[in-house]
Amino acid sequence: MSTSRLSTLSLKNGLPKSNNIWDGTTGFFESIATLTGNGSSDTLTFSNIPSTYAHLQIRFIARDTRATLRDDITIGFNSDTGTNYAYHYIYGDGASVVGGGGANAGTGYVGSIAAASASANIMGAGIIDILDYANTNKFKTVRVLNGEDQNGSGYIYFISSLWRNTNAITSINIKTTNVSRYFTASTTFALYGIRSF
Amino acid sequence: MPATYDKINSNTLSTSATDVTFSSIPGTYTDLVIVMSVFTSSDGESPQFQFNSDTATNYSTTFVEGNGSSAASYRFSSRGNLETSYNIGGNSTSPSPIITHINNYSNSTTHKTVLTRWNSASGGTYPGVNATVGLWRSTAAITSIKIYPGAGNFNSGSTFTLYGIKAA
């Protein structure tokens, strides 16, 4: 996430002087779109993403209808379902730390969310960062901070995913791991664009 | 596109303090981000959060850490506060940076999940890279956040800034 637009003249004691963190009359961290689950779809898709930003960030809370305490969710770009993804993760489950990953996968990995057997109103949450998403000279790397705590169980994840494609990202889909597992109506994914100079 | 990543409030301690509270938090944003750079009166302290003056055992946390030689995970359940980070250093020249995210803090339908990343100063007593996921079992919108160390004080020079992010 770029903060280079924030000049030192706007800082005092290391903090922004004004209530708006970004210089200028236009924002550098902008809301692009928000998607909400509806209880009948396993996929949420951001489409027609403009290429005018430097980076993207997705912020979410999520739960699905799988009949377990939790479920995994995945990410894909530009409708590419080929084995063009890889991912690595480290997580803590409250007792042990586990690392893992996958190569030549059909999706990237976003992490763990609460599911239907979790106590009511418990969600998973996360922040997904995609730097240089519109750059046509680079593969796309995704960083995720994700977790869900259920007061006696839960997972906290650091995740990195790679999409081996130099195309600019114009669409992003977030999916549960099975077509019969639906995002609940309390699920929201919010997409933001971050500008640079 | 609406531009929105606003500073709501900030506090830089000119003297040590037992706690810092952000109150009257507006419900007009989607997410909150709390950015802290803290020193504590002794090594190894753990900043705790309480929301809306709730001191009941409605909080729980799952931790993961790496300290340069090993990795570990812990859990606290049914507590009277949310321990978002721990092993904060008392070193007066190497503060611990802590960033806490509370997505959808103002909705009245879900319990609140809190994500935190922080570092303890390398060279300090408890160096490490860490993250937590915490849960406040309440569907109430968050209107106040009290932050305090597990023991002692936050030292002078510690900074606390509350940001709001608004989705379209």
Side-chain angles (χ1 to χ4, degrees), chain A residues 54-65:
Chain A
H55 314 300
L56 299 175
Q57 184 175 89
I58 299 171
R59 306 177 65 89
F60 70 88
I61 60 170
R63 181 178 173 119
D64 75 17
T65 60

Side-chain angles (χ1 to χ4, degrees), chain A residues 174-190:
Chain A
I174 310 290
K175 298 174 67 72
T176 66
T177 53
N178 188 287
V179 294
S180 65
R181 299 165 186 169
Y182 307 133
F183 286 115
T184 64
S186 54
T187 294
T188 67
F189 285 80

